[in-house]
Amino acid sequence: MPPVSAPALTPPPLVPAPSVLRRFDCAGPRYTSYPTADRFVDAFTAEDYAQTLEQRGSTGASARALSLYVHIPFCESLCYYCACNKIVTRHKSKGREYLDYLAREIALQVERLGRGAVVRQLHLGGGTPTFLDDAGLRTLMGMLRDAFSLSPDGEHSIEIDPRTVDRERLVTLAALGFNRLSFGVQDFDPDVQKAVHRIQPAGQVFDLMATARGLGFDSVNVDLIYGLPRQSAASFDRTLAQVCALRPDRIALYAYAHLPERFKAQRRIATQALPDAAAKVEMLSRSIAAFTEAGYVYIGMDHFALPGDALAVAKRQGRLHRNFQGYSTQPDCDLVALGVSAIGRVGATYSQNAKTLEEYYDLLDQGRLPVVRGLALTRDDVLRRTVIMAIMCQGRVDFETIGSAHLVDFQRCFAAELEALAPLEAQGLVVVSDRHLEVTPLGWFFVRAIAMVFDRYLQADRNRTRFSRIV
C-alpha cells in the first residue's frame, strides 16, 4: 500500500468556509425523486402499477431504454451506522430462496411490460449484493438477460462490501458483464471501524482496487461517511490521504445521520462517541479541500469524480441526471425496480415494493406484483420535478424553456419561489435574472437548499426531521 501522508488542507477559493457550512446546515431531501418517497401513498396499488407497465408496453414508450435496479437485502454482519433495508444472516440458502422469488417478480413485470426491453443502466444494491455466491450471481444475471436486453455499452454496476470479495470474485463480476464497482469503505481508521462493527484493513481495499484496474473496470467508486463514532478531523485527515492515494474514479462522501429511534442498529452506537456538529463541519470542509486539491471535480451534493470520469464529463456537458441511485450519466428514463423495498419510476408514477421479506414473499405467492405504495404525479408535480432536477443536475433553470415545455408563465407561476431565493442570492449561492436562475460555484455545495425552495410539499410541511441534514 502506498505511504500515506496528510493532504494539504489550504482550501482552494471555492471551498466553503466552516462558518458558511454551519449557516446552511439544515435538514432537507436528497431529491433522488420529486415528490420525495415520504409522499408516497398506500392508495397507489399494484394494480395501478400494472396498468402503468401495460401502457408503457403498448405505446411508443416501450422503444425507450430502461434503467433497472435490483435490491439484494442480505448482509453477513451488521454495520451499526446502517440505515438501509437489510437482513443480517450467514445462511446462503436465504439468497437462493430470494432468487426464486425475484424470478417470480421478473415474470410478473415482463408479462405486462413485454420481454426484451432494452436496459441502458443496471445497478445491484443492498444490503450486500455480493452476499450472493458466484452461482447466485450467475443465476440472477441469467434471469435478467432472459427477460431484458442488456445494452452491451450500458452501465452495469454493483455495490461491494470489500470483505466479501477477492480477486476471483472480481474476475467473475467482470465476466458477468459488470463494468462499474462501488466499494463501501466509510473510514480506514481501525478505531472507527471497530466502533461501527466493520473491520476491513486498508491494504485489502488497495489490493482490490489494483485488481479492478487490472481487469479493466470502467469506473470504481468509494463510499465514505463522516460523523461516525470516534472520528475526529485529524483522524479523518488520514483517511482522506489514503483515499487520495487509492485514487478511485469517483468518491461519494455522506454525512452520518444518527437516528436510533428509527434504525435499531444505530442504538449500538454510543452517542457520546459521536463528533459534535463543529467537528462534522470541519471534516466536510477539509474533505472538500483534500479532494479538490487532489484533482477531483465536485459533481454536486456529496459526489466527486476525476476529470476524465464519465460523471465529470457529463457535468461539463450539461448531461447529468439523477435517479434513486444518485447522479447518473444516462438519459432520463423509466426505472424498473426489483426486490424487497425497491423503488421504481415508470412514466409519471413512482412505486415501492413491500418493505419486509415476509410481505414481499406473501404477495408473490399470491401471484401479485409486490407493490404496496406509490404516487401518480400531478401536473404541478411534473413541472416542479423538472425545475428541481434542472437545479440538482445542470445548476441552471431557463424560464422560457421550461415554461414552453409545460405551458406556463414561469415567473408568474413561481413568483413566490423566485422571491424566496433572494436571501440565497445575497449569500452568493444563486444568480437570478429575468430569464434564468443559475447556481454559483459556491452554491453547488448547498444545491439541496436551493432546490428546496421549489418543493411545494416541503413549504407546506415544516416538519423536516425525517430528512438528513445538508451538512
Side-chain angles (χ1 to χ4, degrees):
M1 185 179 73
V4 173
S5 58
L9 292 173
T10 302
L14 295 182
V15 173
S19 60
V20 179
L21 290 169
R22 280 192 291 272
R23 189 180 308 144
F24 294 99
D25 183 17
C26 61
R30 298 180 58 80
Y31 292 118
T32 52
S33 71
Y34 179 84
T36 50
D38 60 303
R39 304 296 173 183
F40 294 0
V41 294
D42 296 343
F44 185 93
T45 65
E47 288 70 29
D48 295 320
Y49 177 62
Q51 184 177 13
T52 302
L53 286 180
E54 289 167 359
Q55 288 174 346
R56 187 187 196 277
S58 63
T59 66
S62 60
R64 297 199 306 266
L66 285 172
S67 182
L68 194 61
Y69 173 73
V70 185
H71 189 79
I72 309 297
F74 305 105
C75 296
E76 291 187 9
S77 63
L78 179 66
C79 301
Y80 296 162
Y81 58 80
C82 185
C84 298
N85 186 297
K86 77 279 182 184
I87 298 163
V88 179
T89 179
R90 290 186 176 273
H91 298 292
K92 296 297 182 179
S93 60
K94 297 282 187 182
R96 292 189 288 272
E97 181 184 22
Y98 186 70
L99 288 175
D100 289 340
Y101 279 93
L102 269 179
R104 298 188 197 183
E105 185 187 0
I106 291 170
L108 288 171
Q109 298 247 20
V110 169
E111 179 183 336
R112 294 159 176 82
L113 185 64
R115 187 172 299 277
V118 175
V119 172
R120 290 277 304 164
Q121 184 179 47
L122 167 66
H123 185 80
L124 268 59
T128 306
T130 47
F131 173 89
L132 298 176
D133 58 21
D134 288 354
L137 287 170
R138 289 191 188 96
T139 297
L140 174 57
M141 292 303 292
M143 292 191 303
L144 295 177
R145 291 185 189 281
D146 182 60
F148 303 94
S149 177
L150 303 189
S151 176
D153 60 347
E155 291 187 359
H156 304 150
S157 60
I158 182 170
E159 297 173 9
I160 287 178
D161 180 342
R163 300 169 299 174
T164 65
V165 299
D166 54 18
R167 176 181 175 78
E168 288 67 32
R169 294 223 76 194
L170 292 185
V171 169
T172 297
L173 293 177
L176 287 173
F178 290 100
N179 51 28
R180 296 178 183 274
L181 307 175
S182 182
F183 290 131
V185 170
Q186 324 317 346
D187 194 312
F188 279 127
D189 186 278
D191 287 339
V192 176
Q193 291 184 358
K194 183 177 180 180
V196 298
H197 198 238
R198 188 186 176 101
I199 305 297
Q200 52 186 41
Q204 181 183 34
V205 179
F206 273 79
D207 289 345
L208 289 172
M209 178 66 81
T211 299
R213 294 196 190 287
L215 292 171
F217 284 94
D218 292 342
S219 183
V220 180
N221 175 79
V222 161
D223 285 348
L224 299 175
I225 300 177
Y226 66 95
L228 293 173
R230 300 188 190 172
Q231 273 181 344
S232 66
S235 75
F236 205 55
D237 281 352
R238 294 190 290 270
T239 288
L240 296 176
Q242 288 171 296
V243 172
C244 289
L246 186 64
R247 201 84 178 154
D249 301 279
R250 301 176 184 178
I251 300 167
L253 176 70
Y254 301 112
Y256 171 64
H258 190 58
L259 300 169
E261 67 280 2
R262 288 178 56 189
F263 305 111
K264 186 176 180 180
Q266 295 185 358
R267 297 171 195 168
R268 303 196 183 199
I269 290 177
T271 303
Q272 61 270 23
L274 294 170
D276 60 22
K280 284 185 68 177
V281 167
E282 184 69 15
M283 279 185 253
L284 175 58
S285 181
R286 293 161 80 101
S287 298
I288 295 169
F291 294 145
T292 53
E293 289 187 1
Y296 284 89
V297 175
Y298 181 67
I299 301 300
M301 285 185 53
D302 35 36
H303 284 66
F304 301 80
L306 291 175
D309 184 82
L311 206 59
V313 173
K315 179 171 182 178
R316 287 197 299 272
Q317 297 177 348
R319 294 187 294 102
L320 271 184
H321 294 281
R322 192 159 176 79
N323 59 28
F324 288 106
Q325 283 73 61
Y327 282 109
S328 167
T329 64
Q330 295 298 303
D332 194 26
C333 61
D334 290 335
L335 169 66
V336 169
L338 303 166
V340 62
S341 78
I343 301 176
R345 167 196 158 185
V346 178
T349 70
Y350 295 120
S351 59
Q352 183 170 26
N353 283 349
K355 291 185 177 181
T356 68
L357 212 54
E358 292 76 15
E359 186 178 10
Y360 177 74
Y361 286 172
D362 180 59
L363 289 169
L364 288 168
D365 280 337
Q366 297 175 45
R368 298 172 56 192
L369 285 163
V371 169
V372 295
R373 67 180 196 139
L375 191 68
L377 276 64
T378 66
R379 184 170 177 262
D380 182 72
D381 290 338
V382 174
L383 169 61
R384 290 175 182 270
R385 178 172 72 180
T386 302
V387 175
I388 286 172
M389 291 306 164
I391 293 170
M392 296 292 296
C393 298
Q394 281 72 51
R396 180 185 174 92
V397 177
D398 185 279
F399 302 157
E400 184 177 354
T401 299
I402 289 183
S404 297
H406 293 268
L407 302 178
V408 298
D409 181 325
F410 187 96
Q411 288 165 298
R412 180 179 298 175
C413 183
F414 291 109
E417 286 81 357
L418 292 173
E419 183 178 347
L421 285 174
L424 300 182
E425 187 172 22
Q427 296 291 338
L429 305 189
V430 64
V431 175
V432 182
S433 72
D434 58 354
R435 302 184 66 176
H436 68 266
L437 70 84
E438 189 159 7
V439 178
T440 67
L442 177 63
W444 269 108
F445 294 99
F446 310 100
V447 70
R448 290 162 72 182
I450 298 169
M452 285 161 60
V453 172
F454 292 87
D455 187 332
R456 181 172 61 85
Y457 296 93
L458 197 63
Q459 302 313 319
D461 178 7
R462 295 295 176 176
N463 177 21
R464 302 180 183 179
T465 57
R466 60 188 177 277
F467 299 117
S468 64
R469 301 189 74 80
I470 289 176
V471 175

PDB file of all heavy atoms in Angstrom, residues 56 60-68 113 116-121 148-151 153-154 330-336 345:
ATOM      1  N   ARG A  56     -46.997   1.475 -20.930  1.00  0.00           N
ATOM      2  CA  ARG A  56     -45.660   1.653 -21.500  1.00  0.00           C
ATOM      3  C   ARG A  56     -45.388   0.611 -22.574  1.00  0.00           C
ATOM      4  O   ARG A  56     -44.844   0.903 -23.626  1.00  0.00           O
ATOM      5  CB  ARG A  56     -44.593   1.562 -20.411  1.00  0.00           C
ATOM      6  CG  ARG A  56     -43.196   1.913 -20.931  1.00  0.00           C
ATOM      7  CD  ARG A  56     -42.123   1.664 -19.890  1.00  0.00           C
ATOM      8  NE  ARG A  56     -40.882   2.339 -20.250  1.00  0.00           N
ATOM      9  CZ  ARG A  56     -39.968   1.879 -21.087  1.00  0.00           C
ATOM     10  NH1 ARG A  56     -40.167   0.708 -21.695  1.00  0.00           N
ATOM     11  NH2 ARG A  56     -38.870   2.558 -21.358  1.00  0.00           N
ATOM     12  N   GLY A  60     -45.396   3.877 -27.776  1.00  0.00           N
ATOM     13  CA  GLY A  60     -44.040   4.152 -28.257  1.00  0.00           C
ATOM     14  C   GLY A  60     -43.028   4.223 -27.142  1.00  0.00           C
ATOM     15  O   GLY A  60     -41.819   4.123 -27.391  1.00  0.00           O
ATOM     16  N   ALA A  61     -43.495   4.380 -25.892  1.00  0.00           N
ATOM     17  CA  ALA A  61     -42.572   4.453 -24.762  1.00  0.00           C
ATOM     18  C   ALA A  61     -41.759   3.180 -24.626  1.00  0.00           C
ATOM     19  O   ALA A  61     -40.643   3.179 -24.100  1.00  0.00           O
ATOM     20  CB  ALA A  61     -43.337   4.728 -23.466  1.00  0.00           C
ATOM     21  N   SER A  62     -42.307   2.070 -25.112  1.00  0.00           N
ATOM     22  CA  SER A  62     -41.610   0.791 -24.966  1.00  0.00           C
ATOM     23  C   SER A  62     -40.312   0.757 -25.757  1.00  0.00           C
ATOM     24  O   SER A  62     -39.443  -0.088 -25.503  1.00  0.00           O
ATOM     25  CB  SER A  62     -42.521  -0.363 -25.412  1.00  0.00           C
ATOM     26  OG  SER A  62     -42.886  -0.200 -26.772  1.00  0.00           O
ATOM     27  N   ALA A  63     -40.156   1.661 -26.708  1.00  0.00           N
ATOM     28  CA  ALA A  63     -38.932   1.701 -27.500  1.00  0.00           C
ATOM     29  C   ALA A  63     -37.806   2.415 -26.763  1.00  0.00           C
ATOM     30  O   ALA A  63     -36.644   2.306 -27.152  1.00  0.00           O
ATOM     31  CB  ALA A  63     -39.191   2.390 -28.835  1.00  0.00           C
ATOM     32  N   ARG A  64     -38.145   3.157 -25.705  1.00  0.00           N
ATOM     33  CA  ARG A  64     -37.119   3.876 -24.954  1.00  0.00           C
ATOM     34  C   ARG A  64     -36.411   2.938 -23.991  1.00  0.00           C
ATOM     35  O   ARG A  64     -37.011   2.031 -23.413  1.00  0.00           O
ATOM     36  CB  ARG A  64     -37.731   5.041 -24.177  1.00  0.00           C
ATOM     37  CG  ARG A  64     -38.364   6.106 -25.058  1.00  0.00           C
ATOM     38  CD  ARG A  64     -38.516   7.409 -24.285  1.00  0.00           C
ATOM     39  NE  ARG A  64     -39.252   7.214 -23.034  1.00  0.00           N
ATOM     40  CZ  ARG A  64     -40.564   7.395 -22.910  1.00  0.00           C
ATOM     41  NH1 ARG A  64     -41.281   7.730 -23.971  1.00  0.00           N
ATOM     42  NH2 ARG A  64     -41.154   7.227 -21.755  1.00  0.00           N
ATOM     43  N   ALA A  65     -35.122   3.163 -23.782  1.00  0.00           N
ATOM     44  CA  ALA A  65     -34.337   2.301 -22.904  1.00  0.00           C
ATOM     45  C   ALA A  65     -34.771   2.472 -21.448  1.00  0.00           C
ATOM     46  O   ALA A  65     -35.277   3.518 -21.041  1.00  0.00           O
ATOM     47  CB  ALA A  65     -32.856   2.608 -23.055  1.00  0.00           C
ATOM     48  N   LEU A  66     -34.548   1.419 -20.673  1.00  0.00           N
ATOM     49  CA  LEU A  66     -34.879   1.395 -19.255  1.00  0.00           C
ATOM     50  C   LEU A  66     -33.624   1.496 -18.402  1.00  0.00           C
ATOM     51  O   LEU A  66     -32.507   1.211 -18.843  1.00  0.00           O
ATOM     52  CB  LEU A  66     -35.556   0.067 -18.890  1.00  0.00           C
ATOM     53  CG  LEU A  66     -36.996  -0.199 -19.275  1.00  0.00           C
ATOM     54  CD1 LEU A  66     -37.327  -1.655 -18.972  1.00  0.00           C
ATOM     55  CD2 LEU A  66     -37.933   0.723 -18.519  1.00  0.00           C
ATOM     56  N   SER A  67     -33.845   1.862 -17.151  1.00  0.00           N
ATOM     57  CA  SER A  67     -32.863   1.662 -16.092  1.00  0.00           C
ATOM     58  C   SER A  67     -33.434   0.559 -15.210  1.00  0.00           C
ATOM     59  O   SER A  67     -34.651   0.463 -15.026  1.00  0.00           O
ATOM     60  CB  SER A  67     -32.663   2.950 -15.295  1.00  0.00           C
ATOM     61  OG  SER A  67     -31.680   2.785 -14.306  1.00  0.00           O
ATOM     62  N   LEU A  68     -32.559  -0.289 -14.671  1.00  0.00           N
ATOM     63  CA  LEU A  68     -33.006  -1.451 -13.897  1.00  0.00           C
ATOM     64  C   LEU A  68     -32.265  -1.466 -12.564  1.00  0.00           C
ATOM     65  O   LEU A  68     -31.036  -1.352 -12.523  1.00  0.00           O
ATOM     66  CB  LEU A  68     -32.711  -2.728 -14.685  1.00  0.00           C
ATOM     67  CG  LEU A  68     -33.364  -4.040 -14.247  1.00  0.00           C
ATOM     68  CD1 LEU A  68     -34.887  -3.932 -14.309  1.00  0.00           C
ATOM     69  CD2 LEU A  68     -32.890  -5.181 -15.147  1.00  0.00           C
ATOM     70  N   LEU A 113     -44.914  -5.644 -19.177  1.00  0.00           N
ATOM     71  CA  LEU A 113     -44.007  -4.719 -19.852  1.00  0.00           C
ATOM     72  C   LEU A 113     -43.615  -5.192 -21.247  1.00  0.00           C
ATOM     73  O   LEU A 113     -43.374  -4.392 -22.154  1.00  0.00           O
ATOM     74  CB  LEU A 113     -42.750  -4.544 -18.989  1.00  0.00           C
ATOM     75  CG  LEU A 113     -41.696  -3.540 -19.419  1.00  0.00           C
ATOM     76  CD1 LEU A 113     -42.256  -2.127 -19.403  1.00  0.00           C
ATOM     77  CD2 LEU A 113     -40.482  -3.629 -18.491  1.00  0.00           C
ATOM     78  N   GLY A 116     -37.768  -8.344 -23.447  1.00  0.00           N
ATOM     79  CA  GLY A 116     -36.704  -7.807 -24.289  1.00  0.00           C
ATOM     80  C   GLY A 116     -36.537  -6.306 -24.269  1.00  0.00           C
ATOM     81  O   GLY A 116     -35.847  -5.748 -25.135  1.00  0.00           O
ATOM     82  N   ALA A 117     -37.125  -5.614 -23.287  1.00  0.00           N
ATOM     83  CA  ALA A 117     -36.930  -4.166 -23.193  1.00  0.00           C
ATOM     84  C   ALA A 117     -35.445  -3.862 -23.008  1.00  0.00           C
ATOM     85  O   ALA A 117     -34.753  -4.522 -22.222  1.00  0.00           O
ATOM     86  CB  ALA A 117     -37.734  -3.599 -22.026  1.00  0.00           C
ATOM     87  N   VAL A 118     -34.958  -2.869 -23.724  1.00  0.00           N
ATOM     88  CA  VAL A 118     -33.537  -2.523 -23.673  1.00  0.00           C
ATOM     89  C   VAL A 118     -33.220  -1.830 -22.344  1.00  0.00           C
ATOM     90  O   VAL A 118     -33.927  -0.916 -21.919  1.00  0.00           O
ATOM     91  CB  VAL A 118     -33.148  -1.598 -24.841  1.00  0.00           C
ATOM     92  CG1 VAL A 118     -31.695  -1.132 -24.711  1.00  0.00           C
ATOM     93  CG2 VAL A 118     -33.356  -2.326 -26.167  1.00  0.00           C
ATOM     94  N   VAL A 119     -32.150  -2.277 -21.685  1.00  0.00           N
ATOM     95  CA  VAL A 119     -31.707  -1.712 -20.408  1.00  0.00           C
ATOM     96  C   VAL A 119     -30.353  -1.054 -20.621  1.00  0.00           C
ATOM     97  O   VAL A 119     -29.383  -1.727 -20.977  1.00  0.00           O
ATOM     98  CB  VAL A 119     -31.617  -2.796 -19.317  1.00  0.00           C
ATOM     99  CG1 VAL A 119     -30.973  -2.228 -18.054  1.00  0.00           C
ATOM    100  CG2 VAL A 119     -32.993  -3.366 -19.018  1.00  0.00           C
ATOM    101  N   ARG A 120     -30.288   0.258 -20.394  1.00  0.00           N
ATOM    102  CA  ARG A 120     -29.043   1.003 -20.562  1.00  0.00           C
ATOM    103  C   ARG A 120     -28.271   1.128 -19.258  1.00  0.00           C
ATOM    104  O   ARG A 120     -27.077   1.406 -19.251  1.00  0.00           O
ATOM    105  CB  ARG A 120     -29.346   2.409 -21.087  1.00  0.00           C
ATOM    106  CG  ARG A 120     -29.822   2.466 -22.511  1.00  0.00           C
ATOM    107  CD  ARG A 120     -28.680   2.430 -23.493  1.00  0.00           C
ATOM    108  NE  ARG A 120     -27.711   3.500 -23.247  1.00  0.00           N
ATOM    109  CZ  ARG A 120     -26.487   3.518 -23.751  1.00  0.00           C
ATOM    110  NH1 ARG A 120     -26.072   2.524 -24.505  1.00  0.00           N
ATOM    111  NH2 ARG A 120     -25.669   4.525 -23.504  1.00  0.00           N
ATOM    112  N   GLN A 121     -28.961   0.911 -18.154  1.00  0.00           N
ATOM    113  CA  GLN A 121     -28.316   1.066 -16.855  1.00  0.00           C
ATOM    114  C   GLN A 121     -28.848   0.006 -15.903  1.00  0.00           C
ATOM    115  O   GLN A 121     -30.050  -0.104 -15.691  1.00  0.00           O
ATOM    116  CB  GLN A 121     -28.587   2.472 -16.298  1.00  0.00           C
ATOM    117  CG  GLN A 121     -27.874   2.773 -14.998  1.00  0.00           C
ATOM    118  CD  GLN A 121     -28.178   4.186 -14.523  1.00  0.00           C
ATOM    119  OE1 GLN A 121     -29.338   4.617 -14.508  1.00  0.00           O
ATOM    120  NE2 GLN A 121     -27.156   4.938 -14.146  1.00  0.00           N
ATOM    121  N   PHE A 148     -34.738  -9.171 -20.158  1.00  0.00           N
ATOM    122  CA  PHE A 148     -34.449  -7.852 -20.712  1.00  0.00           C
ATOM    123  C   PHE A 148     -33.290  -7.957 -21.704  1.00  0.00           C
ATOM    124  O   PHE A 148     -32.590  -8.962 -21.756  1.00  0.00           O
ATOM    125  CB  PHE A 148     -34.078  -6.869 -19.598  1.00  0.00           C
ATOM    126  CG  PHE A 148     -35.122  -6.715 -18.535  1.00  0.00           C
ATOM    127  CD1 PHE A 148     -35.073  -7.486 -17.374  1.00  0.00           C
ATOM    128  CD2 PHE A 148     -36.160  -5.804 -18.680  1.00  0.00           C
ATOM    129  CE1 PHE A 148     -36.034  -7.351 -16.385  1.00  0.00           C
ATOM    130  CE2 PHE A 148     -37.129  -5.659 -17.697  1.00  0.00           C
ATOM    131  CZ  PHE A 148     -37.068  -6.436 -16.548  1.00  0.00           C
ATOM    132  N   SER A 149     -33.088  -6.906 -22.460  1.00  0.00           N
ATOM    133  CA  SER A 149     -31.947  -6.830 -23.373  1.00  0.00           C
ATOM    134  C   SER A 149     -30.943  -5.846 -22.793  1.00  0.00           C
ATOM    135  O   SER A 149     -31.143  -4.623 -22.886  1.00  0.00           O
ATOM    136  CB  SER A 149     -32.409  -6.376 -24.761  1.00  0.00           C
ATOM    137  OG  SER A 149     -31.310  -6.240 -25.638  1.00  0.00           O
ATOM    138  N   LEU A 150     -29.895  -6.373 -22.142  1.00  0.00           N
ATOM    139  CA  LEU A 150     -28.894  -5.509 -21.517  1.00  0.00           C
ATOM    140  C   LEU A 150     -27.975  -4.948 -22.590  1.00  0.00           C
ATOM    141  O   LEU A 150     -27.278  -5.693 -23.279  1.00  0.00           O
ATOM    142  CB  LEU A 150     -28.081  -6.278 -20.474  1.00  0.00           C
ATOM    143  CG  LEU A 150     -28.866  -6.941 -19.335  1.00  0.00           C
ATOM    144  CD1 LEU A 150     -27.908  -7.475 -18.277  1.00  0.00           C
ATOM    145  CD2 LEU A 150     -29.864  -5.984 -18.715  1.00  0.00           C
ATOM    146  N   SER A 151     -27.978  -3.643 -22.730  1.00  0.00           N
ATOM    147  CA  SER A 151     -27.179  -2.992 -23.763  1.00  0.00           C
ATOM    148  C   SER A 151     -25.692  -3.263 -23.537  1.00  0.00           C
ATOM    149  O   SER A 151     -25.192  -3.084 -22.422  1.00  0.00           O
ATOM    150  CB  SER A 151     -27.434  -1.487 -23.754  1.00  0.00           C
ATOM    151  OG  SER A 151     -26.612  -0.826 -24.685  1.00  0.00           O
ATOM    152  N   ASP A 153     -23.154  -1.612 -24.343  1.00  0.00           N
ATOM    153  CA  ASP A 153     -22.404  -0.412 -23.980  1.00  0.00           C
ATOM    154  C   ASP A 153     -23.072   0.346 -22.838  1.00  0.00           C
ATOM    155  O   ASP A 153     -22.799   1.529 -22.603  1.00  0.00           O
ATOM    156  CB  ASP A 153     -22.237   0.512 -25.193  1.00  0.00           C
ATOM    157  CG  ASP A 153     -23.580   0.973 -25.767  1.00  0.00           C
ATOM    158  OD1 ASP A 153     -24.615   0.387 -25.397  1.00  0.00           O
ATOM    159  OD2 ASP A 153     -23.573   1.916 -26.574  1.00  0.00           O
ATOM    160  N   GLY A 154     -23.935  -0.342 -22.077  1.00  0.00           N
ATOM    161  CA  GLY A 154     -24.609   0.279 -20.940  1.00  0.00           C
ATOM    162  C   GLY A 154     -23.745   0.265 -19.689  1.00  0.00           C
ATOM    163  O   GLY A 154     -22.652  -0.313 -19.662  1.00  0.00           O
ATOM    164  N   GLN A 330     -26.660   8.558 -17.547  1.00  0.00           N
ATOM    165  CA  GLN A 330     -27.604   8.015 -18.514  1.00  0.00           C
ATOM    166  C   GLN A 330     -28.788   8.969 -18.718  1.00  0.00           C
ATOM    167  O   GLN A 330     -29.192   9.679 -17.796  1.00  0.00           O
ATOM    168  CB  GLN A 330     -28.114   6.649 -18.051  1.00  0.00           C
ATOM    169  CG  GLN A 330     -27.027   5.599 -17.988  1.00  0.00           C
ATOM    170  CD  GLN A 330     -26.409   5.339 -19.345  1.00  0.00           C
ATOM    171  OE1 GLN A 330     -27.080   4.996 -20.305  1.00  0.00           O
ATOM    172  NE2 GLN A 330     -25.089   5.530 -19.436  1.00  0.00           N
ATOM    173  N   PRO A 331     -29.360   8.985 -19.916  1.00  0.00           N
ATOM    174  CA  PRO A 331     -30.521   9.844 -20.169  1.00  0.00           C
ATOM    175  C   PRO A 331     -31.655   9.530 -19.203  1.00  0.00           C
ATOM    176  O   PRO A 331     -31.804   8.402 -18.733  1.00  0.00           O
ATOM    177  CB  PRO A 331     -30.915   9.482 -21.608  1.00  0.00           C
ATOM    178  CG  PRO A 331     -29.672   8.939 -22.220  1.00  0.00           C
ATOM    179  CD  PRO A 331     -28.949   8.235 -21.110  1.00  0.00           C
ATOM    180  N   ASP A 332     -32.428  10.561 -18.907  1.00  0.00           N
ATOM    181  CA  ASP A 332     -33.577  10.398 -18.024  1.00  0.00           C
ATOM    182  C   ASP A 332     -34.503   9.337 -18.602  1.00  0.00           C
ATOM    183  O   ASP A 332     -34.935   9.427 -19.745  1.00  0.00           O
ATOM    184  CB  ASP A 332     -34.312  11.734 -17.916  1.00  0.00           C
ATOM    185  CG  ASP A 332     -35.305  11.755 -16.781  1.00  0.00           C
ATOM    186  OD1 ASP A 332     -35.109  11.003 -15.823  1.00  0.00           O
ATOM    187  OD2 ASP A 332     -36.266  12.542 -16.854  1.00  0.00           O
ATOM    188  N   CYS A 333     -34.787   8.293 -17.819  1.00  0.00           N
ATOM    189  CA  CYS A 333     -35.583   7.189 -18.355  1.00  0.00           C
ATOM    190  C   CYS A 333     -36.357   6.500 -17.244  1.00  0.00           C
ATOM    191  O   CYS A 333     -36.130   6.742 -16.058  1.00  0.00           O
ATOM    192  CB  CYS A 333     -34.680   6.184 -19.078  1.00  0.00           C
ATOM    193  SG  CYS A 333     -33.430   5.418 -18.033  1.00  0.00           S
ATOM    194  N   ASP A 334     -37.282   5.631 -17.648  1.00  0.00           N
ATOM    195  CA  ASP A 334     -38.042   4.855 -16.681  1.00  0.00           C
ATOM    196  C   ASP A 334     -37.113   3.912 -15.921  1.00  0.00           C
ATOM    197  O   ASP A 334     -36.156   3.379 -16.481  1.00  0.00           O
ATOM    198  CB  ASP A 334     -39.125   4.044 -17.388  1.00  0.00           C
ATOM    199  CG  ASP A 334     -40.244   4.925 -17.935  1.00  0.00           C
ATOM    200  OD1 ASP A 334     -40.442   6.026 -17.400  1.00  0.00           O
ATOM    201  OD2 ASP A 334     -40.918   4.498 -18.890  1.00  0.00           O
ATOM    202  N   LEU A 335     -37.428   3.708 -14.647  1.00  0.00           N
ATOM    203  CA  LEU A 335     -36.648   2.827 -13.780  1.00  0.00           C
ATOM    204  C   LEU A 335     -37.543   1.707 -13.273  1.00  0.00           C
ATOM    205  O   LEU A 335     -38.523   1.962 -12.566  1.00  0.00           O
ATOM    206  CB  LEU A 335     -36.078   3.619 -12.600  1.00  0.00           C
ATOM    207  CG  LEU A 335     -35.457   2.813 -11.458  1.00  0.00           C
ATOM    208  CD1 LEU A 335     -34.205   2.083 -11.931  1.00  0.00           C
ATOM    209  CD2 LEU A 335     -35.132   3.721 -10.274  1.00  0.00           C
ATOM    210  N   VAL A 336     -37.229   0.482 -13.647  1.00  0.00           N
ATOM    211  CA  VAL A 336     -37.934  -0.690 -13.140  1.00  0.00           C
ATOM    212  C   VAL A 336     -37.134  -1.226 -11.960  1.00  0.00           C
ATOM    213  O   VAL A 336     -35.938  -1.498 -12.079  1.00  0.00           O
ATOM    214  CB  VAL A 336     -38.092  -1.764 -14.225  1.00  0.00           C
ATOM    215  CG1 VAL A 336     -38.583  -3.076 -13.634  1.00  0.00           C
ATOM    216  CG2 VAL A 336     -39.065  -1.286 -15.300  1.00  0.00           C
ATOM    217  N   ARG A 345     -39.657   4.017 -10.981  1.00  0.00           N
ATOM    218  CA  ARG A 345     -40.351   5.147 -11.600  1.00  0.00           C
ATOM    219  C   ARG A 345     -40.678   4.766 -13.040  1.00  0.00           C
ATOM    220  O   ARG A 345     -39.782   4.447 -13.827  1.00  0.00           O
ATOM    221  CB  ARG A 345     -39.463   6.386 -11.584  1.00  0.00           C
ATOM    222  CG  ARG A 345     -39.990   7.501 -12.475  1.00  0.00           C
ATOM    223  CD  ARG A 345     -38.937   8.556 -12.757  1.00  0.00           C
ATOM    224  NE  ARG A 345     -39.255   9.308 -13.967  1.00  0.00           N
ATOM    225  CZ  ARG A 345     -38.463  10.215 -14.505  1.00  0.00           C
ATOM    226  NH1 ARG A 345     -37.305  10.487 -13.959  1.00  0.00           N
ATOM    227  NH2 ARG A 345     -38.829  10.836 -15.613  1.00  0.00           N
TER     228      ARG A 345
END
